[in-house]
Amino acid sequence: MYANRNDPESLNFPHERVGSDANSVGLFQQRAPWWGTVADRMDPYRSAKLFFTELKKFDYNNTSRSPGWYAQAVQRSAYPDRYDKRMTEAQQLYDRIAAESGGKHRAPEPAAQEVHTVGDPIWLADVLRAEGLTCDIYPGAFNRGKGDFAGIWGVMAHHTGAPAGSNPGPKVIAEHPSLGLASQLHLDRNGKYTLCGVGIAWHAGVGSYPGLPTNDANRLTIGIEAENSGTEGWQPAQYDAYVRGVAAILRKLGHDSSHVIGHKEWGGKAQGKWDPGGIDMDAFRRDVQKHIDKGKAGKPSEGDLTMADVERLEQFIMTYLGPGLSDIKDNRQQLTGGRDAGEYPGWPQLGNRTLVDAVSQVLTNQTRINERLDALLAAVEKEKNDDVR
């Protein structure tokens, strides 16, 4: 499995080697923005599924083309002849795997309704982004935690206690000096998430709540630490992101809003916890449920663009069209003195004129000079003629 420094997020996933071919990653050397998410490209099953989904668009049983031709049609490698060169080797590997598995070599398809209550939630960032939320990934997030999840009951909501106006950021959650990973997610005051880790986090402490084992919620819950003092109130952007993020996670888990609790509901009696302060958890759960239901009713149909699609399109535009747009701005600045549309400040050395205005002024002055010269020459010529007479 290859990661690639030109696709930095890939380094957070398990890999054997680090490649350097453009931004190609994974077993299939797939590249952004064309091949799914980083999590897709760095997962053997999911990356293979991406390949076969594209292959299905071709009449690959047509023997007029070689298997290598179809592989190249999908992959579009810079070395199109290499697939056919290794076809015999690939066939031998396929036959061996098929024989060892009694012919049952095909990986099972996921269930029609994907429910992910088991295993580390490596999907958190993808789910939040698909909900239209911003989610950064803290370095090393996919290798950070206090062990692996066996099952996930739901979500526990917290506030960090950071004083109003301060901005400690996700580092203290990802790398807490005494707890290590203190929650899987950090939510800043502007509504931006950061994935801090996907393993078990020490965020709950001792406590109890119906449906959870006493003093043992860490291994069963995803923690979200929202940057808030607990007394400053909640800005609409942060509260909205909190609600929508929890709804997206619970929808992914196949749960309703009864599976989100506040830290104060878990550890209030045992620890004196009161977070998240200023949030009525019953009202919060009602808001979360509305978004869970809205998401189910408005699930994108095949062909619709998700937020993840929009982000990949934006990445493509900035990667491949960005330099051209920058050149346009450079040209605009050379002409007008301003880089953005509607700005015409001019250049100080040109008397605060734009280049066009300066050229126009030069031409106007030149015309006036020519007119004066013509008048002067005419006067001189007239004086000469008078002297001759």
Side-chain angles (χ1 to χ4, degrees):
M1 180 68 72
Y2 277 85
N4 193 317
R5 290 187 178 84
N6 294 321
D7 193 346
E9 193 177 331
S10 67
L11 299 170
N12 294 325
F13 291 83
H15 57 275
E16 286 76 43
R17 296 183 181 180
V18 177
S20 58
D21 180 15
N23 61 341
S24 301
V25 301
L27 296 176
F28 287 79
Q29 290 291 276
Q30 293 161 328
R31 299 179 59 186
W34 302 284
W35 292 97
T37 64
V38 179
D40 291 331
R41 299 190 291 276
M42 293 297 290
D43 181 272
Y45 175 74
R46 289 158 67 179
S47 61
K49 189 171 182 179
L50 290 172
F51 175 88
F52 289 118
T53 297
E54 287 299 309
L55 182 62
K56 285 170 64 177
K57 297 177 182 179
F58 296 91
D59 182 19
Y60 56 84
N61 288 315
N62 187 336
T63 57
S64 65
R65 303 280 191 181
S66 70
W69 185 93
Y70 290 107
Q72 170 61 15
V74 173
Q75 291 289 102
R76 299 180 184 180
S77 168
Y79 306 96
D81 59 330
R82 291 188 178 178
Y83 296 110
D84 276 327
K85 285 182 178 179
R86 304 194 69 175
M87 190 60 205
T88 300
E89 181 183 347
Q91 186 67 55
Q92 291 170 348
L93 178 61
Y94 173 90
D95 291 342
R96 191 186 77 201
I97 295 173
E100 289 174 354
S101 60
K104 297 179 180 179
H105 52 274
R106 183 180 177 184
E109 287 289 327
Q113 180 182 3
E114 288 190 80
V115 177
H116 297 260
T117 57
V118 178
D120 287 349
I122 62 172
W123 40 261
L124 278 170
D126 289 340
V127 164
L128 294 173
R129 290 167 179 171
E131 194 72 13
L133 300 164
T134 300
C135 183
D136 291 343
I137 297 178
Y138 193 84
F142 292 96
N143 295 312
R144 183 177 294 112
K146 301 288 185 178
D148 299 327
F149 279 96
I152 303 176
W153 177 87
V155 177
M156 189 175 292
H158 304 257
H159 71 239
T160 62
S166 66
N167 184 33
K171 179 179 175 64
V172 71
I173 304 303
E175 303 178 62
H176 193 280
S178 59
L179 300 176
L181 179 62
S183 262
Q184 284 77 20
L185 291 165
H186 173 271
L187 175 63
D188 73 13
R189 287 181 170 88
N190 295 317
K192 181 181 77 173
Y193 282 94
T194 298
L195 178 63
C196 297
V198 298
I200 293 170
W202 285 1
H203 64 92
V206 296
S208 61
Y209 192 84
L212 286 168
T214 301
N215 301 334
D216 193 18
N218 285 331
R219 66 181 180 86
L220 295 167
T221 55
I222 293 168
I224 302 177
E225 288 281 358
E227 202 158 84
N228 195 286
S229 67
T231 59
E232 67 189 80
W234 294 83
Q235 293 299 317
Q238 187 178 30
Y239 183 81
D240 177 67
Y242 216 159
V243 168
R244 290 166 58 203
V246 170
I249 293 167
L250 293 181
R251 194 185 308 120
K252 180 76 169 181
L253 292 169
H255 294 324
D256 61 23
S257 62
S258 67
H259 283 255
V260 56
I261 61 173
H263 197 199
K264 56 189 174 186
E265 296 177 296
W266 166 261
K269 185 179 294 186
Q271 303 178 68
K273 295 296 182 181
W274 57 283
D275 57 314
I279 290 182
D280 179 329
M281 288 307 299
D282 289 330
F284 186 82
R285 279 185 280 268
R286 287 194 294 271
D287 291 339
V288 167
Q289 191 61 49
K290 289 177 185 176
H291 279 276
I292 291 174
D293 296 339
K294 181 181 178 182
K296 288 178 179 177
K299 187 175 181 181
S301 60
E302 186 174 354
D304 287 346
L305 283 177
T306 66
M307 281 304 300
D309 294 327
V310 173
E311 287 183 1
R312 286 195 290 273
L313 181 60
E314 180 183 19
Q315 181 184 1
F316 171 79
I317 290 172
M318 295 311 298
T319 300
Y320 295 98
L321 301 184
L325 296 175
S326 180
D327 289 344
I328 291 173
K329 285 179 174 285
D330 288 344
N331 293 337
R332 181 186 288 126
Q333 185 173 20
Q334 290 294 323
L335 290 170
T336 70
R339 290 183 64 79
D340 296 319
E343 290 185 0
Y344 309 104
W347 292 94
Q349 57 267 50
L350 297 177
N352 293 323
R353 298 182 181 90
T354 68
L355 185 58
V356 173
D357 290 338
V359 171
S360 175
Q361 186 63 54
V362 168
L363 292 175
T364 298
N365 292 343
Q366 185 64 49
T367 299
R368 290 173 181 169
I369 290 171
N370 290 339
E371 289 174 349
R372 290 180 182 179
L373 284 174
D374 289 344
L376 181 59
L377 290 172
V380 170
E381 187 67 27
K382 181 176 182 301
E383 187 174 344
K384 286 172 60 178
N385 292 336
D386 291 342
D387 289 343
V388 170
R389 285 196 296 269

